Amino acid sequence: NNYIEGPLLHDLGNLEVLKLNYNSLTGTVPLSWTSSKKMRRINLSFNELSGALVPEFGRMDALQELSISANYLNSTIPSEIGESSSLQILDLRHNRLEGCIPTQIGALSQLNYLDLSDNRFDESPLPTEFFALTNLTNLH
């Protein structure tokens, strides 16, 4: 709760953990962040971020947590997110995400926490691929 305001930095250097939740950050998540080979945790929840959740997040091999809840993301969840093999926490609740929930999330074998609640997804049953998530302990 620092009330940091303004757009996000583009160069994160060698950061492994980025926690800027509960601020007043605006703009979009910089595409340059997804080129980080060391980034393990990103928590940008409870800000004022907008735009798309970019497919490149799925190419972040070391990423274990992606929490961008309570913002204004207004895209679909890219199917490439299912390629982020180290992902354990995916928290995208309370945004404006739409479309179908990608079945590729079912490939995230390390995932133990998934919260996609309070979005604008198409009404459809939970993808059956989610039943393969044997490490999943929290689903919202």
Side-chain angles (χ1 to χ4, degrees), residues 34-67:
T34 61
S35 63
S36 172
K37 300 294 182 201
K38 295 183 176 185
M39 184 65 70
R40 293 181 295 112
R41 299 193 179 281
I42 296 175
N43 189 334
L44 298 170
S45 297
F46 297 93
N47 280 289
E48 298 173 20
L49 300 173
S50 59
L53 188 63
V54 295
E56 288 79 4
F57 275 117
R59 297 186 186 104
M60 297 180 74
D61 295 333
L63 192 63
Q64 297 172 354
E65 176 186 355
L66 180 60
S67 297

Side-chain angles (χ1 to χ4, degrees), residues 7-49:
L8 297 169
L9 300 170
H10 284 272
D11 185 10
L12 297 179
N14 289 318
L15 280 181
E16 294 182 19
V17 176
L18 178 67
K19 292 182 78 172
L20 290 173
N21 48 323
Y22 292 100
N23 284 289
S24 297
L25 298 171
T26 60
T28 60
V29 177
L31 186 60
S32 60
W33 286 14
T34 61
S35 63
S36 172
K37 300 294 182 201
K38 295 183 176 185
M39 184 65 70
R40 293 181 295 112
R41 299 193 179 281
I42 296 175
N43 189 334
L44 298 170
S45 297
F46 297 93
N47 280 289
E48 298 173 20
L49 300 173

Side-chain angles (χ1 to χ4, degrees), residues 45-103:
S45 297
F46 297 93
N47 280 289
E48 298 173 20
L49 300 173
S50 59
L53 188 63
V54 295
E56 288 79 4
F57 275 117
R59 297 186 186 104
M60 297 180 74
D61 295 333
L63 192 63
Q64 297 172 354
E65 176 186 355
L66 180 60
S67 297
I68 314 180
S69 63
N71 280 284
Y72 301 104
L73 299 180
N74 57 357
S75 65
T76 60
I77 297 176
S79 60
E80 290 85 354
I81 201 75
E83 298 170 20
S84 190
S85 60
S86 298
L87 203 58
Q88 298 171 10
I89 298 169
L90 181 58
D91 186 356
L92 301 174
R93 68 190 142 109
H94 195 65
N95 276 288
R96 296 174 179 166
L97 297 170
E98 54 194 21
C100 293
I101 297 172
T103 59

